[in-house]
């Protein structure tokens, strides 16, 4: 038990450190993407934190297998470098026992990944997608910030407002400029007040400007028109609030996938069950790959080991895509990839003993003694 606790502690601490770094890198990349959309007015800055929190389980279910794989490589690699594994082997600690001790914390990680993939991640994806779809229903003027010029979807069009109400519906001192016609005319609108008005009957939204002027003409020419208005309305294009949001397979609960007969749903269901299996197989792969000669260095096998993991994950993801398209069955695709890499892990564990038996040639005296 002392040896088991020591090995498990080394593996788990290293896995947590590596997984934290990988999770930070993954979330940073996604957060930068959402931040760019918020800066462009496509997302409300207030929802960024909620989206990232709901996406964390999806990141974790892919980060933890890699974190455990690298954690085993680093932890056991250090023990080989410092000859601790040599001492354990001399005391009768076999490779098979090391594998069994490794599978115990791997089973805990696999159980946690199963909880994420089967229950928590689908709920998180569903919540995040609902928020993103709600953001798609926002008009261009929902992304305005007071005191800043903001681009609009029309080519070259910009908008400015001096102040906004708390619900972002009422605007003061509104300025808009953009191309007014295909002949190169430019239109400029300036109004004291503006507000967004919803028509619940038709699900439409309008921008209503009050007490303003509209200037229209071609730059560099003296002929232009000035229109004074007390009220002017303009239709704002937004997505239909009553439209049915398409439900992706990743957003469906595991029970919905289980009851569905669709090929894509079946592939997603098997993908979720395959992630805990991925944890166990990469643990089996990491044990023989972590064996390091002290003269070669601790990280000599890291690059080929990580390349093997990348090939595993990419192949598994490709098999899922082929299964969703109906090009291959899930058993031949997803579980076939698991079977191949399970066979590779078994081969790596048995390879040293097999090579030792093949290379060993008894001399004549040993043959004679064996015959006697």
């Amino acid at each position: 038990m002392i040896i088991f606790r020591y090995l498990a502690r080394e593996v788990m601490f290293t896995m947590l450190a590596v997984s934290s770094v990988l999770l930070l890198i993954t979330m940073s990349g996604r957060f930068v993407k959402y931040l760019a959309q918020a800066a462009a007015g496509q997302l409300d800055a207030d929802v960024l934190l909620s989206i990232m929190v709901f996406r964390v389980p999806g990141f974790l279910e892919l980060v933890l297998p890699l974190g455990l794989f690298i954690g085993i490589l680093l932890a056991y690699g250090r023990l080989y470098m410092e000859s601790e594994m040599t001492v354990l082997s001399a005391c009768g600690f076999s490779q098979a026992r090391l594998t069994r001790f490794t599978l115990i914390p791997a089973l805990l990680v696999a159980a946690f990944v199963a909880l994420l993939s089967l229950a928590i991640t689908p709920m998180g994806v569903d919540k995040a997608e609902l928020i993103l779809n709600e953001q798609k229903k926002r008009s261009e003027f929902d992304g305005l910030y007071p005191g800043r010029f903001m681009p609009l979807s029309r080519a070259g069009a910009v908008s400015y407002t001096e102040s906004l109400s708390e619900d972002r519906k009422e605007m003061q001192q509104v300025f808009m400029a953009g191309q007014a016609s295909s002949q190169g005319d430019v239109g400029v609108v300036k109004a004291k007040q503006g507000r967004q008005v919803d028509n619940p009957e038709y699900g439409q939204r309008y921008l209503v400007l009050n007490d303003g002027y509209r200037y229209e003409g071609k730059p560099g020419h003296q002929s232009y028109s000035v229109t004074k208005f007390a009220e002017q309305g303009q239709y704002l294009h937004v997505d239909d609030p009553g439209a049915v949001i398409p439900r992706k397979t990743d957003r469906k609960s595991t029970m919905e996938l289980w009851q569905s007969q669709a090929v894509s749903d079946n592939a997603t269901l098997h993908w979720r069950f395959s992630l805990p299996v991925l944890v166990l197989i990469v643990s089996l792969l990491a044990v023989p790959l972590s064996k390091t000669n002290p003269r070669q260095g601790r990280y000599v096998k890291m690059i080929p080991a990580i390349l093997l993991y990348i090939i595993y994950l990419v192949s598994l993801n490709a098999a899922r895509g082929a299964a969703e398209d109906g090009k291959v069955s899930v058993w031949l695709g997803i579980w076939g990839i698991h079977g191949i890499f399970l066979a590779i892990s078994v081969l790596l564990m048995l390879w040293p003993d097999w090579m030792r038996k093949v290379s060993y040639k008894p001399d004549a005296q040993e043959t004679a003694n064996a015959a006697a």
Side-chain angles (χ1 to χ4, degrees):
M1 289 302 297
I2 295 176
I3 296 175
F4 166 72
R5 288 198 300 268
Y6 175 64
L7 295 176
R9 184 174 64 249
E10 290 291 322
V11 170
M12 296 301 288
F13 282 173
T14 309
M15 182 204 73
L16 291 176
V18 173
S19 298
S20 299
V21 174
L22 294 175
L23 182 63
L24 180 62
I25 294 173
T26 305
M27 291 184 63
S28 298
R30 188 57 61 92
F31 183 73
V32 168
K33 175 184 175 182
Y34 291 145
L35 197 62
Q37 293 178 342
Q42 299 174 2
L43 288 177
D44 188 355
D46 295 336
V47 305
L48 293 182
L49 181 60
S50 299
I51 294 175
M52 293 305 299
V53 169
F54 289 132
R55 294 303 302 272
V56 167
F59 297 147
L60 271 177
E61 68 179 16
L62 295 177
V63 165
L64 285 177
L66 179 58
L68 178 63
F69 183 70
I70 297 178
I72 295 174
L73 292 175
L74 292 177
Y76 289 176
R78 183 189 68 80
L79 297 180
Y80 279 109
M81 287 294 298
E82 297 178 0
S83 301
E84 293 186 42
M85 284 295 188
T86 305
V87 174
L88 289 175
S89 179
C91 296
F93 193 82
S94 64
Q95 189 81 358
R97 181 176 296 182
L98 177 64
T99 303
R100 290 196 298 269
F101 281 8
T102 305
L103 284 177
I104 295 177
L107 284 171
L108 297 178
V109 177
F112 183 64
V113 170
L115 177 64
L116 291 175
S117 64
L118 297 176
I120 300 178
T121 297
M123 291 190 297
V125 172
D126 184 64
K127 297 293 185 182
E129 288 295 324
L130 286 176
I131 294 176
L132 291 174
N133 279 300
E134 286 296 326
Q135 293 297 304
K136 292 179 183 178
K137 299 176 184 176
R138 300 166 70 242
S139 70
E140 295 174 312
F141 291 90
D142 287 328
L144 289 180
Y145 288 92
R148 291 174 55 183
F149 286 91
M150 301 294 294
L152 301 178
S153 61
R154 295 184 301 236
V158 295
S159 179
Y160 173 89
T161 181
E162 187 175 289
S163 61
L164 277 172
S165 61
E166 292 185 0
D167 60 358
R168 311 183 72 84
K169 300 295 184 182
E170 302 285 340
M171 297 171 281
Q172 302 294 328
Q173 298 299 332
V174 183
F175 171 86
M176 292 186 294
Q179 187 173 347
S181 67
S182 59
Q183 285 75 29
D185 293 345
V186 174
V188 176
V189 176
K190 185 178 183 298
K192 289 186 178 180
Q193 295 178 339
R195 67 184 185 278
Q196 294 188 64
V197 178
D198 293 319
N199 187 331
E201 183 178 356
Y202 300 102
Q204 296 177 338
R205 182 176 297 180
Y206 297 88
L207 175 65
V208 179
L209 301 176
N210 300 103
D211 193 9
Y213 291 87
R214 177 180 177 85
Y215 306 88
E216 187 172 336
K218 186 173 294 185
H221 294 72
Q222 295 182 355
S223 59
Y224 59 91
S225 63
V226 180
T227 304
K228 182 179 179 180
F229 58 85
E231 184 177 272
Q232 174 182 294
Q234 180 179 345
Y235 171 70
L236 297 178
H237 175 73
V238 295
D239 292 341
D240 183 8
V244 178
I245 299 174
R247 189 172 179 85
K248 299 179 181 178
T249 56
D250 287 340
R251 297 174 58 185
K252 293 183 179 181
S253 67
T254 302
M255 185 58 64
E256 289 180 87
L257 296 177
W258 188 275
Q259 296 173 351
S260 174
Q261 301 296 324
V263 175
S264 58
D265 290 348
N266 189 37
T268 304
L269 178 65
H270 283 264
W271 166 263
R272 292 182 185 178
F273 279 108
S274 72
L275 289 178
V277 178
L278 172 68
V279 174
L280 299 178
I281 294 179
V282 297
S283 302
L284 294 176
L285 283 170
V287 172
L289 290 174
S290 65
K291 191 173 184 179
T292 305
N293 190 334
R295 296 182 179 181
Q296 294 177 339
R298 182 179 178 181
Y299 303 101
V300 66
K301 292 186 178 180
M302 286 292 295
I303 294 180
I306 293 177
L307 285 177
L308 183 63
Y309 179 88
I310 293 175
I311 294 173
Y312 186 7
L313 190 59
V314 170
S315 301
L316 197 61
N317 196 39
R320 178 194 178 184
E324 287 180 338
D325 295 336
K327 298 178 180 179
V328 67
S329 68
V330 291
W331 297 105
L332 184 61
I334 295 177
W335 297 107
I337 296 297
H338 282 307
I340 291 173
F341 281 87
L342 178 60
I344 292 175
S345 64
V346 174
L347 181 62
L348 289 175
M349 286 187 289
L350 298 180
W351 183 263
D353 294 335
W354 184 76
M355 288 299 296
R356 191 180 302 112
K357 293 178 181 179
V358 171
S359 61
Y360 175 70
K361 297 180 179 179
D363 54 21
Q365 183 63 36
E366 289 180 341
T367 304
N369 294 337

